[in-house]
Amino acid sequence: MNRKSFTKRLITAPYTVWMAIFVLVPIALVVYYALTDADGHFTAGNVTAIVDYAKTFGISVELALISTAICLLMAYPLAYAIARMNTRRQSTMIMLVMLPMWMNFLIRTYAWIAILADKGLINAFLQSIGLDGFKMIGTRGAVVLGMVYNFLPYMILPIYTVLTKIEQSTIEAAQDLGASRAQVFRRVLLPMSVPGIISGITMVFVPAVSTFVISKLLGAGKTYLIGDIIENYFLGNTGTVNYNIGASLSLVLMLMILISMAIMNHFDKDESAGGMI
Amino acid sequence: MKKKVLSLILALCIACGVLSLAGCGGSDRVTLNVYNWGEYIDTSVIPEFEKETGIKVNYTTYASNEEMYAKVSSGAASYDVVIPSDYMIGKMIEEDMLAELDFANIPNYEYIGEDYKGLEYDPENKFSVPYTWGTTVIIYNKNAVDPADVADKSVDLLWNEKYKDQILMFDNPRDAFALALSKLGYSFNSTNAAEWEEAAELLKQQKPLVQEYVMDQVFDKMEMGEAAVAAYYAGDALIMQDEQEEDVDIDYYIPKEGANMFVDAMCVLKTTQHKAEAEAFINFMCRTDVAVKTAEVIGYATPHMQAREQLDPAIIGNPVVYADSQTLANTEVFLNLAPEIGELQSKLWTDIKKD
């Protein structure tokens, strides 16, 4: 028994050390900076200062929620369709879903600038067929589009994984017992795919709420998310570097994410089914 | 068997990689880290310097003084040579970040015009060697802007509702606030908080008209005709004219309300391990042929008097880039702001951007 736990510890040691250095220490630093001032004295001033950014938090959460909802609505039917295909086509389809992820995220987002720009691909096309172009880049819509585009695979994959585990016979059994298509979906499929949906939502919402690159590139510097403000405080783009406020904003963001994950996990009772992560 | 061969090759590759890395670390070749503004050098001069001196240059760029300052002061990376603007040099001298230069290693310093020496940010010429100078200008596409709107050469063009979504604005607080302050007739170095608040109000009003807050993205946007009006640096307007698309016709002016006059100068950071090499680099950049290339490629005015004689008279005769003393009398140099004003500016800028 003793020996076994020793080997176990030995095996997990590299990971524990890794976690300690790259997760715990940084979090401790964030907490330290968030609760001290420039001279290193304890203060709650940074935490109260974030009231100024309540609106920005609101916008970030709003855009992240919209993106998550769109991702979910798009991903579920697609994941279902893929899960019902034969194995060979399934792997092709999943590869197609993952294909964009082989390219760098920044490059893909830059490509969207060329597509959405005022004289970009879409507007040039619209004008060539005699329609009026319209403003896309620099709007919130463009930011949401960027989020959906970049994070959609993270919604599809966990839902797909869960759906492939549902036996066709389960659905047939429901149908045999007289369930209509809607009932099969509502009473059988949906409840069984909750774990995948939960991990999909988490994997889309968390990066979306904290992004700063997408808003910077597609929001034309006009849609500011909380991630942008944190970046500015650390990089000094606004003229002053302030790690303390930056850290306290990060801390609040982390807490928000943790709380929303806790709420999500509350719905996710069947942990064994799990998603991708 | 095949697998074994393959793994052997892989192992060899890794071993070679490690060895070559080790070889790299062991050599005596000095690497100089030069940190400059984007689009601010003729890149062909770097290999030339490396060839002549055997010093390797690791050249990286930044988009604003603030970005450079944050990187350098955080100690996240070690640079040897940086090229900040006047007010930032003042701030860095005050914070003891710059090394005193040994001008015996920079004989070419003599070519720098007297007008650019002994300026307020480095009054005793101890820390910096001027690289370029210029003013901010209003740039516009003649094919998209009504001549009547530019007739009075005013900064108001940036607030003209007719060009909603066609205006590009500086994405750094110092330059953006300067435009608003000049519109109000206040000093760019104002110490009066109320004046800064007033300027912030103007910038907030302007935000719905702005297509995008940009730094070097301004080149593409103006050259392609994606935007009609922008505020940027004089030398860059020249480059945009050279690169513009056929249906774009770029022109520019120094606004009558005044503009910022800046000097960007080469400095060596105090933390450098290679001060002599850094000074050799600065000296090289001040060599006449290199200075000519620099001026030709980046379009900014050069403070190098010898280079000026060799440049195309059409460039030297450009009344905006090489503005005369009468025009310059209407410009103002940025000074390092007092800490409380600096913080106010930063807060106001964040407010403008986030709402």
Side-chain angles (χ1 to χ4, degrees):
Chain A
M1 182 65 202
N2 233 345
R3 199 187 155 77
K4 201 176 167 193
S5 75
F6 176 73
T7 7
K8 218 175 174 182
R9 233 184 278 164
L10 203 68
I11 292 170
T12 55
Y15 183 66
T16 317
V17 172
W18 177 271
M19 285 283 280
I21 297 176
F22 294 106
V23 180
L24 292 180
V25 172
I27 290 180
L29 280 175
V30 169
V31 175
Y32 168 77
Y33 275 113
L35 297 176
T36 50
D37 61 15
D39 304 322
H41 300 302
F42 175 82
T43 173
N46 305 313
V47 184
T48 46
I50 61 166
V51 182
D52 290 349
Y53 303 103
K55 201 174 150 197
T56 315
F57 269 112
I59 296 169
S60 303
V61 171
E62 185 194 328
L63 296 191
L65 282 177
I66 294 172
S67 311
T68 313
I70 296 174
C71 278
L72 182 60
L73 289 176
M74 282 169 69
Y76 198 96
L78 181 66
Y80 181 77
I82 297 176
R84 295 291 147 231
M85 288 172 182
N86 67 44
T87 331
R88 256 182 68 193
R89 286 192 67 193
Q90 273 189 31
S91 48
T92 315
M93 294 301 284
I94 287 302
M95 202 192 73
L96 286 177
V97 168
M98 307 231 287
L99 199 60
M101 291 158 76
W102 294 1
M103 218 189 312
N104 184 287
F105 156 81
L106 267 182
I107 297 174
R108 284 183 283 135
T109 310
Y110 269 109
W112 273 108
I113 298 181
I115 297 171
L116 300 178
D118 293 340
K119 291 197 174 176
L121 286 177
I122 295 179
N123 277 327
F125 171 74
L126 287 177
Q127 275 153 11
S128 72
I129 56 167
L131 292 169
D132 278 344
F134 62 101
K135 176 109 199 118
M136 284 171 286
I137 201 96
T139 61
R140 284 187 188 175
V143 177
V144 169
L145 177 81
M147 289 176 177
V148 170
Y149 169 75
N150 278 308
F151 304 134
L152 187 62
Y154 300 107
M155 184 68 91
I156 297 174
L157 294 176
I159 297 179
Y160 159 78
T161 314
V162 178
L163 287 178
T164 48
K165 285 186 192 150
I166 300 175
E167 294 284 337
Q168 185 62 29
S169 54
T170 318
I171 297 168
E172 282 162 7
Q175 283 165 340
D176 283 347
L177 293 169
S180 68
R181 292 188 120 194
Q183 277 173 321
V184 170
F185 175 72
R186 207 161 40 83
R187 309 271 301 265
V188 179
L189 271 181
L190 198 57
M192 289 182 81
S193 47
V194 164
I197 294 175
I198 299 286
S199 51
I201 290 178
T202 322
M203 287 172 77
V204 172
F205 181 77
V206 171
V209 79
S210 54
T211 184
F212 59 94
V213 177
I214 295 175
S215 49
K216 195 184 224 170
L217 295 181
L218 301 179
K222 291 172 80 183
T223 302
Y224 243 38
L225 300 184
I226 201 67
D228 296 286
I229 291 189
I230 295 173
E231 189 209 9
N232 282 341
Y233 272 121
F234 281 98
L235 293 188
N237 292 341
T238 58
T240 43
V241 178
N242 192 332
Y243 283 13
N244 306 101
I245 292 190
S248 82
L249 287 170
S250 311
L251 190 65
V252 173
L253 186 61
M254 277 196 289
L255 288 176
M256 264 173 47
I257 291 171
L258 275 179
I259 292 169
S260 55
M261 278 172 72
I263 297 172
M264 294 305 277
N265 281 335
H266 179 73
F267 289 110
D268 182 16
K269 282 174 191 126
D270 180 17
E271 281 178 32
S272 59
M276 281 293 289
I277 29 171
Chain B
M1 188 57 204
K2 234 182 186 174
K3 247 186 190 165
K4 254 189 190 163
V5 174
L6 202 70
S7 53
L8 199 69
I9 292 174
L10 269 176
L12 271 175
C13 284
I14 293 168
C16 285
V18 170
L19 279 179
S20 64
L21 267 178
C24 212
S27 92
D28 291 334
R29 214 168 158 207
V30 171
T31 300
L32 203 58
N33 290 302
V34 177
Y35 200 28
N36 191 5
W37 293 79
E39 315 229 6
Y40 217 42
I41 201 168
D42 175 355
T43 41
S44 74
V45 306
I46 295 174
E48 208 178 314
F49 174 76
E50 290 179 326
K51 221 171 120 194
E52 279 176 27
T53 58
I55 299 168
K56 196 183 168 325
V57 174
N58 179 18
Y59 182 79
T60 42
T61 63
Y62 52 85
S64 70
N65 281 307
E66 287 71 23
E67 184 188 336
M68 181 277 307
Y69 174 81
K71 265 268 184 65
V72 170
S73 61
S74 73
S78 65
Y79 297 102
D80 301 299
V81 179
V82 290
I83 311 187
S85 307
D86 33 50
Y87 71 97
M88 189 52 78
I89 296 174
K91 182 180 166 91
M92 291 170 87
I93 292 174
E94 212 166 273
E95 296 178 16
D96 200 21
M97 289 166 74
L98 300 180
E100 267 189 50
L101 298 173
D102 178 0
F103 285 92
N105 289 336
I106 315 174
N108 292 339
Y109 183 64
E110 63 168 318
Y111 299 128
I112 304 294
E114 290 304 318
D115 290 352
Y116 312 100
K117 291 179 180 170
L119 297 175
E120 215 159 332
Y121 60 88
D122 183 11
E124 292 166 60
N125 287 320
K126 280 174 155 169
F127 301 94
S128 60
V129 174
Y131 180 60
T132 55
W133 66 278
T135 62
T136 49
V137 290
I138 311 285
I139 305 167
Y140 64 100
N141 177 3
K142 274 188 189 169
N143 294 342
V145 173
D146 184 347
D149 294 326
V150 290
D152 61 347
K153 300 199 169 178
S154 165
V155 73
D156 291 342
L157 187 62
L158 293 169
W159 272 265
N160 191 328
E161 307 231 340
K162 239 163 124 185
Y163 305 106
K164 185 173 191 297
D165 275 336
Q166 301 271 331
I167 297 170
L168 300 177
M169 193 59 184
F170 278 114
D171 196 13
N172 82 69
R174 202 70 212 262
D175 284 315
F177 269 97
L179 290 164
L181 288 164
S182 77
K183 191 167 150 68
L184 293 164
Y186 299 145
S187 160
F188 304 156
N189 304 308
S190 168
T191 49
N192 180 344
E195 294 182 354
W196 286 91
E197 308 250 0
E198 222 178 303
E201 208 41 56
L202 263 186
L203 291 172
K204 257 183 211 172
Q205 283 167 23
Q206 185 202 29
K207 193 180 176 191
L209 308 179
V210 172
Q211 180 189 93
E212 185 164 0
Y213 291 93
V214 293
M215 289 305 287
D216 279 346
Q217 303 95 303
V218 73
F219 286 99
D220 270 352
K221 293 235 165 200
M222 289 306 290
E223 288 160 11
M224 308 280 289
E226 286 232 0
V229 181
Y232 217 58
Y233 311 110
D236 294 322
L238 228 69
I239 303 299
M240 286 177 213
Q241 252 177 348
D242 285 346
E243 312 268 313
Q244 66 197 10
E245 294 283 308
E246 257 171 46
D247 59 340
V248 176
D249 187 4
I250 286 182
D251 207 350
Y252 46 88
Y253 58 83
I254 297 177
K256 64 170 191 218
E257 289 87 349
N260 162 235
M261 190 246 176
F262 59 84
V263 176
D264 290 346
M266 296 178 274
C267 304
V268 176
L269 289 167
K270 206 156 207 180
T271 50
T272 182
Q273 305 280 324
H274 308 293
K275 186 153 172 279
E277 287 84 353
E279 284 159 351
F281 181 81
I282 292 176
N283 192 47
F284 173 82
M285 292 307 290
C286 291
R287 214 172 69 189
T288 308
D289 61 315
V290 176
V292 169
K293 274 188 196 165
T294 308
E296 280 173 352
V297 168
I298 70 176
Y300 284 60
T302 179
H304 194 289
M305 301 321 271
Q306 211 76 6
R308 241 184 244 193
E309 279 167 26
Q310 292 185 23
L311 279 169
D312 186 345
I315 298 180
I316 301 295
N318 184 310
V320 174
V321 177
Y322 287 90
D324 55 21
S325 47
Q326 202 187 336
T327 317
L328 289 180
N330 195 24
T331 60
E332 194 178 359
V333 175
F334 287 154
L335 301 178
N336 185 22
L337 297 172
E340 64 277 11
I341 293 290
E343 256 165 53
L344 175 70
Q345 176 195 246
S346 157
K347 188 188 166 296
L348 292 171
W349 181 243
T350 308
D351 285 346
I352 293 161
K353 295 291 285 291
K354 81 178 157 70
D355 286 327

